[in-house]
Structures are given as C-alpha cells and as structure tokens.
Amino acid sequence: MKMEFDVTRLVFAAIGILIIFILPPYLDGIARRVKARLQYRRGPPLAQTWYDLLKLFNLPSVKPTSSKLFTWAPYLALASAITAALLLPYGNVVPVDFGFNLVVFFYVILMVSVFLILGGLTVQNAFSHIGSAREMKIVLTVEPLIAILYGVMAYNAGSLNIADIIANLHLTPSLILTYILLAYALYVESGFVPFDVAEAEQEVIGGPLGEYSGRLLGVFYYAIHIKRFALLWFFVSVLVMPWVGPINTAVKAAEVLALQFLLTVSFYPIIAAIEATNARLRIDHVVKMNTRMFFAGIIILAMAFMGGW
C-alpha cells in the first residue's frame, strides 16, 4: 500500500516537473496568438516562443563585461524560478514540500527580480541602469503588499506551509479582498503590460536585458516565463483548491491537477487581452498605485486579525 502511494506521488511529481519545464513558453505563445487576433492578425504558432528560445540557446552570447555576475545572473534567476515552481502543489503532491515553504516561495520568486537587477547593473549602459532602477522601485513597492497578503492567508489557515494553507483556508470577507489584491499584486510582479516599465523595449531598449544576447538572453527569458507561470499557478491553486474538498484519492488528485492546468491556460487569454488594450504606465504611476494597494492591504490585514473578518 505504501509503495502504491509512493508511486502515485512520484507520478504526480513527475507530471508537475514536466509542466514546469514545458508549459510556460506555450502560455506565452497563447498570449501572443490572442493579442494578434485582437489586432486582426493571424499571429504566430503556439510554439513560437519555444522556437525563439531554442534559437537563442544555440547562439553564442556577447559579453560586454568581464563580471562573473553578468554571466551567472540568468542561470541563478532560472534556478530561483524553477525552485519556486517546485514548491507548488500539482494535484495533491508538492514536489519539494517542507514547513514554512510559503516564506521560501516568496523569497525565491523575489530573487528572479534581484538577479535581473544585478545583471543590468554589471554593465556600463545607461538604459540597463535605468531599467534596473525601475525594477528595483517595483520590487520595493509591490513585495511588501505581497508579503501582507501572504500573511493574511497564513493567518487565516494557521500555517506557513502552502499545502496546509490550501487545506485550511476559511472563506471570510478579508480573504475575498485578499484574492482581489493578490490578483493585482501578482500581475504587477509578473511584469505584464501596463507594468512592464523595467524592460520597456521602445523606451529603454529592454532595460536590464539590453546588453544580453544569445544563450544568456534565452535563459533570462525562460526564467521570466517560468516565474510568471509559478505566480499564476500559485494564484489558481489558492483560489480553487481550498473549495474542492479533500483530495484523498488518485482520481480526485488527477481531476484537481486537470482543473489547475485548465484554469492556468484559461487565464492567459485574459492577461493577453489586458496587455493588448492598455498602454504602459509611467514608473511614478506604478509606484503610486502599489503604495495605495499596500495601505489597502494593511486594512485587510487588520480585518483578518479582528476575527471573523
């Protein structure tokens, strides 16, 4: 019986790992196709992002600096994004599960942005420095909001373990408001339009990525795609899984995994529609919006501590 249980967990963990490594570029392909259709264009194939990444992986990188950090930053960002994705549930299995992994998830996702900032600061390029400074401002204003919202969920469930939080969330007004603000915060953290002010190709020529090329640029893009996937998968998991009931059989776990997959894929056309119909914001506007949301998050946290709210 134990061996059968372990085999089931191993299968779900393997499926989760395959999803982590294969799905994110396809999600970007879905977004590109939807944006093209909204603009009355045919659009690229769904695998176009994979084609672009594979082409970059096979090209040499021009290194404008001798700094080792410039070379290592993309790989460290990719390792951070993969680690974050491995901390999430796939069905009823978390590939890397341990206590307080919500805190680890928060930090490793943050490290993707940190390595992006550091990579941009290692070169003598004004556009890279401007982009890194913008990314830093976004991180400093949105991460405190995310920390508060994670805190509300942890307090509601009485745990800092993601799987335990999902299993023990209770529907309260503060949790409903947390879902709304969390959708905003994770969207900003993902760097979608109109919050892509750090890379802003038409304005600062890619920002921190401006001096990257070839394989290193491909690794950075892959890390960003996996980071976006991890944030969306986390949101879908905490949004849906607490209300589907106990997941105590392999069949139920498979159904939940299919639901997670379908909702993750379904959210990307919505994201693409938002990107296609909004102009990029100025960095000062983003900072002001994040600051207002932060104070709203403090009010939600106070509601959660009031009990029953």
Side-chain angles (χ1 to χ4, degrees):
M1 188 73 177
K2 187 177 186 300
M3 182 178 294
E4 181 181 340
F5 175 73
D6 290 341
V7 169
T8 302
R9 289 184 60 85
L10 184 62
V11 169
F12 276 94
I15 293 173
I17 292 171
L18 287 175
I19 290 173
I20 292 168
F21 283 97
I22 297 174
L23 181 61
Y26 279 109
L27 293 176
D28 186 67
I30 292 172
R32 294 169 72 173
R33 175 70 69 86
V34 170
K35 283 187 280 189
R37 292 299 173 88
L38 290 173
Q39 297 166 357
Y40 300 100
R41 297 185 289 111
R42 181 178 179 180
L46 295 181
Q48 184 61 53
T49 303
W50 262 120
Y51 300 151
D52 296 341
L53 288 175
L54 292 174
K55 183 176 181 179
L56 287 172
F57 291 157
N58 290 317
L59 292 175
S61 299
V62 177
K63 299 179 183 179
T65 176
S66 59
S67 172
K68 295 295 183 183
L69 185 56
F70 179 85
T71 302
W72 281 101
Y75 296 104
L76 293 172
L78 179 60
S80 299
I82 293 172
T83 301
L86 289 172
L87 294 169
L88 300 177
Y90 299 86
N92 63 341
V93 174
V94 180
V96 180
D97 191 15
F98 52 87
F100 310 112
N101 61 0
L102 179 64
V103 178
V104 179
F105 178 78
F106 173 81
Y107 278 110
V108 291
I109 279 288
L110 171 61
M111 292 310 295
V112 178
S113 296
V114 170
F115 289 125
L116 181 64
I117 293 168
L118 293 176
L121 293 176
T122 57
V123 296
Q124 297 299 316
N125 184 307
F127 293 119
S128 294
H129 292 183
I130 292 171
S132 294
R134 290 181 175 185
E135 184 72 18
M136 194 179 306
K137 289 179 181 179
I138 294 174
V139 166
L140 292 174
T141 52
V142 79
E143 293 298 336
L145 170 61
I146 294 175
I148 286 176
L149 299 176
Y150 287 177
V152 172
M153 291 191 295
Y155 180 77
N156 182 294
S159 175
L160 284 170
N161 180 275
I162 294 175
D164 291 341
I165 289 173
I166 290 172
N168 296 292
L169 279 177
H170 301 90
L171 190 61
T172 62
S174 62
L175 183 62
I176 295 173
L177 295 174
T178 296
Y179 280 142
I180 296 172
L181 257 66
L182 188 63
Y184 165 84
L186 298 185
Y187 188 94
V188 175
E189 172 73 3
S190 297
F192 291 116
V193 178
F195 301 103
D196 63 331
V197 292
E199 288 80 19
E201 289 83 359
Q202 300 90 341
E203 186 181 350
V204 291
I205 320 176
L209 300 176
E211 290 288 350
Y212 279 96
S213 61
R215 185 176 300 108
L216 294 179
L217 180 61
V219 172
F220 244 140
Y221 278 147
Y222 193 33
I224 291 171
H225 291 319
I226 294 179
K227 172 188 173 181
R228 289 175 171 178
F229 158 79
L231 291 170
L232 182 55
W233 192 273
F234 172 79
F235 180 72
V236 167
S237 298
V238 297
L239 181 66
V240 175
M241 291 181 67
W243 324 116
V244 298
I247 308 173
N248 45 23
T249 66
V251 174
K252 183 67 175 290
E255 292 174 351
V256 170
L257 178 59
L259 181 61
Q260 289 175 285
F261 182 89
L262 290 174
L263 285 176
T264 300
V265 173
S266 299
F267 270 118
Y268 248 79
I270 299 173
I271 292 170
I274 295 173
E275 287 197 296
T277 55
N278 285 274
R280 182 180 299 115
L281 295 173
R282 284 173 17 194
I283 184 62
D284 57 322
H285 291 166
V286 176
V287 170
K288 288 178 183 178
M289 289 179 64
N290 290 346
T291 303
R292 291 169 185 158
M293 293 298 179
F294 171 75
F295 287 111
I298 291 177
I299 294 173
I300 294 173
L301 183 63
M303 289 174 60
F305 277 109
M306 288 172 62
W309 283 87

